[in-house]
Amino acid sequence: MTAIPSFTGDSNPYGGGDPYADYRTADFPFTQYANLADRRLGAGVIAANDEFFAQRENLLVPERAEFDPEHFGHKGKIMDGWETRRRRGASAEHPWPTAEDHDWALVRLGAPGVIRGIVVDTAHFRGNYPQAVSIEGTSVPGSPSPEELLADDVKWTTLVPRTPVGGHAANGFSIAVEQRFTHLRVNQHPDGGIARLRVYGEVVPDPAWLSVLGTFDVVALENGGQAEDASNLFYSPATNTIQPGRSRKMDDGWETRRRRDRGNDWIRYRLAAQSQIRAIEIDTAYLKGNSAGWASVSVKDADESGAGDWQEILPRTRLQPDTNHRFVLPTPAVGTHARVDIFPDGGISRLRLHGSLTEQGAAGLAARHQELGG
């Protein structure tokens, strides 16, 4: 287990120049997983008890927090994060907040899943960050309202106990709870500001929903697919290729550095479960002078140990820039994993593998869903 660096205390006041020059961060061991609190997946901050200085929705903005030292409004300094007013005590004799006083925000994950790690980012909150944070999770089906989530009969599981955090820092927490969650409650003690929230984990879809759909994208992140590994992540993450919807700009796909050898780049995926693939889409949207020249797709039907042989289902095929390419397979291909190879380098924006779960895949997914409390 990799130790998680701990940041506490104030950062120095902003002294000019690059506001990130003294930002405290680290390489966290869980960031290879997808961000379940990604707005592109449908995540949202559905309620907060207070957002006097800065709106709760800023927590899930995909870009890093920005800082403008001269940006003030009628309520004070405008911050790129979620910031609450200063809490006060009950009287002049007791002006300080109590130990129990805290602010909270309810976060709907974009896709339910098992959480492997959380980053509470206090970038630019140097003297106005919370003294401590705590985070709880719950699993509630459907689309519950804030009132329903806060009802007495909803069971919340502690993911991060009350823990001191630092200002202007990426505060990371490894999570070791094998349970499927749909919502989080983020608490800051007693008040203050958080710039960004990232929730890294593995999507665990509802098998009943996938069964009703019949044919769907078996590698899509929202359906339980995962980008397990890639040859190169220089410009952008491989997970982008299985995000919902079409790419809307160049960095919303996967692009590699320029190769100067005779090799090629690739991404390996784990499918939602064992599936029958019937059609493939490879999209190069917004990749115009840097799209992959050719691509091939292979699948592997792995056993419990992960062993299995790769079978090519789409031979090396010429790709066009800024184009969605569609291929219907002559016969369905069965597999648990997929791999896209691009030649020689460049990028693709999306990969779609349309198909359905096999009986074995559906049974395995249902068993895992039940085991994780879904």
Side-chain angles (χ1 to χ4, degrees):
M1 176 67 183
T2 303
I4 302 295
S6 178
F7 303 110
T8 56
D10 291 351
S11 176
N12 292 325
Y14 175 64
D18 179 7
Y20 272 101
D22 59 343
Y23 177 65
R24 295 177 287 178
T25 188
D27 291 328
F28 300 117
F30 44 73
T31 53
Q32 76 271 21
Y33 294 102
N35 177 18
L36 303 183
D38 194 320
R39 284 289 301 171
R40 290 174 294 178
L41 276 175
V45 186
I46 62 174
N49 72 304
D50 185 272
E51 47 185 331
F52 185 85
F53 286 113
Q55 293 77 21
R56 64 183 190 255
E57 288 86 359
N58 290 334
L59 283 173
L60 306 188
V61 171
E63 294 79 19
R64 72 177 188 171
E66 299 298 330
F67 179 73
D68 182 347
E70 298 181 359
H71 197 190
F72 286 83
H74 294 294
K75 293 182 179 180
K77 182 72 186 73
I78 294 176
M79 297 293 290
D80 186 8
W82 167 50
E83 186 181 4
T84 65
R85 73 190 75 202
R86 299 188 188 217
R87 283 183 170 268
R88 300 299 187 223
S91 65
E93 290 73 26
H94 298 281
W96 309 279
T98 69
E100 293 75 30
D101 285 343
H102 67 278
D103 292 317
W104 53 264
L106 293 178
V107 177
R108 179 190 65 241
L109 298 180
V114 178
I115 298 169
R116 302 301 183 193
I118 297 174
V119 174
V120 176
D121 188 348
T122 58
H124 315 304
F125 289 95
R126 296 168 177 267
N128 50 346
Y129 59 93
Q131 181 182 25
V133 300
S134 61
I135 302 175
E136 304 156 278
T138 190
S139 182
V140 179
S143 304
S145 67
E147 293 74 22
E148 290 170 322
L149 288 169
L150 295 173
D152 293 339
D153 60 344
V154 173
K155 178 185 177 183
W156 291 88
T157 299
T158 298
L159 302 177
V160 178
R162 184 168 175 168
T163 305
V165 294
H168 197 44
N171 300 276
F173 306 93
S174 281
I175 309 299
V177 180
E178 288 296 316
Q179 198 172 327
R180 179 182 184 266
F181 295 103
T182 61
H183 295 77
L184 299 184
R185 183 162 60 189
V186 180
N187 305 305
Q188 46 178 337
H189 307 267
D191 53 38
I194 298 171
R196 297 290 188 266
L197 177 74
R198 308 294 188 227
V199 183
Y200 297 98
E202 300 174 71
V203 175
V204 180
D206 181 353
W209 174 252
L210 296 184
S211 176
V212 169
L213 291 181
T215 296
F216 59 92
D217 182 1
V218 298
V219 76
L221 182 59
E222 61 189 319
N223 294 332
Q226 181 179 332
E228 290 189 322
D229 199 5
S231 59
N232 187 271
L233 302 171
F234 188 82
Y235 287 111
S236 44
T239 299
N240 280 353
T241 61
I242 54 175
Q243 290 280 5
R246 294 198 71 196
S247 174
R248 292 178 292 175
K249 53 182 180 174
M250 192 175 72
D251 65 351
D252 190 20
W254 170 63
E255 182 188 357
T256 70
R257 70 175 76 204
R258 300 186 188 212
R259 296 190 75 96
R260 303 305 186 195
D261 58 19
R262 307 294 290 181
N264 74 283
D265 289 314
W266 52 267
I267 306 175
R268 187 183 73 241
Y269 303 90
R270 187 188 68 199
L271 307 183
Q274 188 190 62
S275 305
Q276 279 193 332
I277 301 168
R278 300 184 183 88
I280 298 171
E281 287 186 75
I282 301 176
D283 196 351
T284 58
Y286 290 94
L287 296 165
K288 297 180 179 180
N290 49 355
S291 66
W294 292 263
S296 65
V297 178
S298 304
V299 298
K300 178 176 72 171
D301 191 24
D303 58 23
E304 291 185 1
S305 69
D309 296 325
W310 289 100
Q311 171 195 359
E312 189 176 73
I313 60 173
L314 179 71
R316 192 178 304 188
T317 301
R318 183 73 165 130
L319 300 182
Q320 299 299 320
D322 195 26
T323 301
N324 191 30
H325 309 76
R326 292 179 172 177
F327 309 95
V328 176
L329 300 183
T331 57
V334 175
T336 57
H337 294 73
R339 172 178 165 134
V340 60
D341 285 83
I342 62 171
F343 302 89
D345 56 20
I348 62 173
S349 61
R350 295 291 188 270
L351 174 72
R352 305 296 186 209
L353 301 178
H354 301 287
S356 57
L357 301 182
T358 64
E359 288 188 13
Q360 177 181 326
L365 188 61
R368 184 166 187 248
H369 186 263
Q370 184 176 18
E371 178 185 320
L372 296 172

